[in-house]
Amino acid sequence: MFRRGFLPNVGNLLAFEATARHGSVSRAAEELNLTQSAVSRQIQQLEESLGVFLFSRSRQRVVLTDVGRLYASQVRSTLSELSDATYQAIALSGTTGVLNLATLPTFGTRWLIPRIPGFFAQHPGAMVNFGVRLVPFDFAAEPFDAAIHFGEPHWPGAVCELLRTEEAVPVCSPAYREREDLRSPQDLARATLLQQSTRPTAWAEWFASVGVEASNPLRGPRFEQFAMVAQAAAAGLGAALIPHFLIADELASGRLEILFPNSLVSGGAYYLVYPEHKAETPLLRSFRDWILDQIRQG
């Protein structure tokens, strides 16, 4: 709860922030389209209301005091939050609800976003804002209503709804397969193995599952996202283990092909996660029902 008696005039704060940022009253006045005397007067009013000096003045120069430096940082952050809140309020005009969703990059771009028009068709006026988070976070400290999570169903204070397991298949480009003459799982032991950094032991597990002893299954270039791994494989840089559902387009177009039928089921899974206290929020509930229906449809 804010204290009204400690809320300065916003115009005075803008004048102070611009002057602090530029280190110049004249440049602040130019930015704000005001006269120098008007900016100086606003800063003086702010200092009088606070009872402290925010700048030390020497001839034509203004230098932040220690108090002014600390205050400037906090004022800048507050003005930014106020600007963002105002922008969001304007952006919500005409909507029936907003869902802020954190998602994994490749899951979002390759599976979720191509299907999201169907959700909007069922819920006209709804808005979904997408952000990226790779690891669990505190919903109370982040601006999200829900998240797409991969791993275990452990998230304090949140509900984890199972979406799907992850089954990765060995793939490469047709040209790479022909060039390296990859005819059996054993042949992959000499291939360039494209690695996904969040699945560092995937190739080792796959070789163990097919009974092949590879000298160093951890070797090969690493990529942070499956989308990058898929692109590298399609470009002929090596062989990759990628979840089948994330490369449907590449498989259909022939840019990638499955080398062998042996797949690797990951120990983790994909979940829709949301805070317990938001479980019955109408738009979140609608999104949950929709995405679970999409999973059931395959």
Side-chain angles (χ1 to χ4, degrees), residues 242-264:
I242 306 176
H244 189 285
F245 78 98
L246 295 179
I247 50 173
D249 289 346
E250 285 88 348
L251 293 174
S253 67
R255 286 184 292 147
L256 289 177
E257 60 181 46
I258 297 177
L259 287 163
F260 311 109
N262 316 82
S263 62
L264 177 68

Side-chain angles (χ1 to χ4, degrees), residues 128-166:
V128 178
N129 295 322
F130 295 91
V132 171
R133 291 294 184 276
L134 302 179
V135 296
F137 55 86
D138 182 2
F139 276 106
E142 296 273 7
F144 294 109
D145 303 305
I148 303 297
H149 163 63
F150 178 83
E152 300 296 327
H154 305 311
W155 196 308
V159 177
C160 296
E161 301 258 14
L162 176 65
L163 296 179
R164 64 180 304 148
T165 57
E166 181 180 84

Side-chain angles (χ1 to χ4, degrees), residues 111-112 114-119 122 163-164 287-298:
W111 189 88
L112 180 56
R115 290 169 171 78
I116 204 69
F119 176 74
Q122 295 178 20
L163 296 179
R164 64 180 304 148
F287 181 80
R288 177 191 63 201
D289 293 344
W290 172 81
I291 195 171
L292 290 174
D293 185 58
Q294 292 297 304
I295 293 295
R296 285 191 291 268
Q297 293 180 25

Side-chain angles (χ1 to χ4, degrees), residues 1 4 8 17 45 72 74 122 126 131 146 171 210 237 259 295:
M1 181 66 180
R4 296 182 182 180
E17 190 281 327
Q45 290 172 351
Q74 294 171 333
Q122 295 178 20
V171 297
V210 297
L237 297 184
L259 287 163
I295 293 295

Side-chain angles (χ1 to χ4, degrees), residues 88-290:
Q88 291 175 21
I90 295 172
L92 295 181
S93 175
T95 65
T96 58
V98 176
L99 178 71
N100 294 308
L101 179 70
T103 186
L104 302 167
T106 307
F107 184 96
T109 58
R110 299 208 165 200
W111 189 88
L112 180 56
I113 292 178
R115 290 169 171 78
I116 204 69
F119 176 74
F120 293 140
Q122 295 178 20
H123 304 278
M127 180 184 294
V128 178
N129 295 322
F130 295 91
V132 171
R133 291 294 184 276
L134 302 179
V135 296
F137 55 86
D138 182 2
F139 276 106
E142 296 273 7
F144 294 109
D145 303 305
I148 303 297
H149 163 63
F150 178 83
E152 300 296 327
H154 305 311
W155 196 308
V159 177
C160 296
E161 301 258 14
L162 176 65
L163 296 179
R164 64 180 304 148
T165 57
E166 181 180 84
E167 185 176 356
V169 291
V171 297
C172 71
S173 69
Y176 184 81
R177 184 176 199 173
E178 181 177 354
R179 184 171 75 243
E180 299 298 323
D181 193 26
L182 302 177
R183 300 181 181 277
S184 70
Q186 180 67 49
D187 294 332
L188 275 176
R190 55 179 169 76
T192 298
L193 304 177
L194 305 178
Q195 309 281 349
Q196 213 278 8
S197 59
T198 63
R199 315 287 196 278
T201 63
W203 273 115
E205 294 173 28
W206 185 85
F207 280 118
S209 71
V210 297
V212 172
E213 185 174 340
S215 60
N216 185 7
L218 303 181
R219 75 183 189 285
R222 294 189 176 276
F223 303 86
E224 286 192 352
Q225 301 175 14
F226 275 124
M228 300 171 70
V229 180
Q231 189 64 37
L237 297 184
L241 273 173
I242 306 176
H244 189 285
F245 78 98
L246 295 179
I247 50 173
D249 289 346
E250 285 88 348
L251 293 174
S253 67
R255 286 184 292 147
L256 289 177
E257 60 181 46
I258 297 177
L259 287 163
F260 311 109
N262 316 82
S263 62
L264 177 68
V265 177
S266 172
Y270 293 87
Y271 296 88
L272 174 66
V273 184
Y274 49 87
E276 293 173 347
H277 70 274
K278 290 190 175 183
E280 297 306 315
T281 302
L283 186 57
L284 175 56
R285 187 171 63 245
S286 296
F287 181 80
R288 177 191 63 201
D289 293 344
W290 172 81

Side-chain angles (χ1 to χ4, degrees), residues 61-79:
R61 297 178 63 244
V62 290
V63 180
L64 284 167
T65 62
D66 290 342
V67 173
R69 190 174 299 107
L70 175 63
Y71 193 53
S73 175
Q74 294 171 333
V75 165
R76 189 170 296 117
S77 176
T78 299
L79 289 174

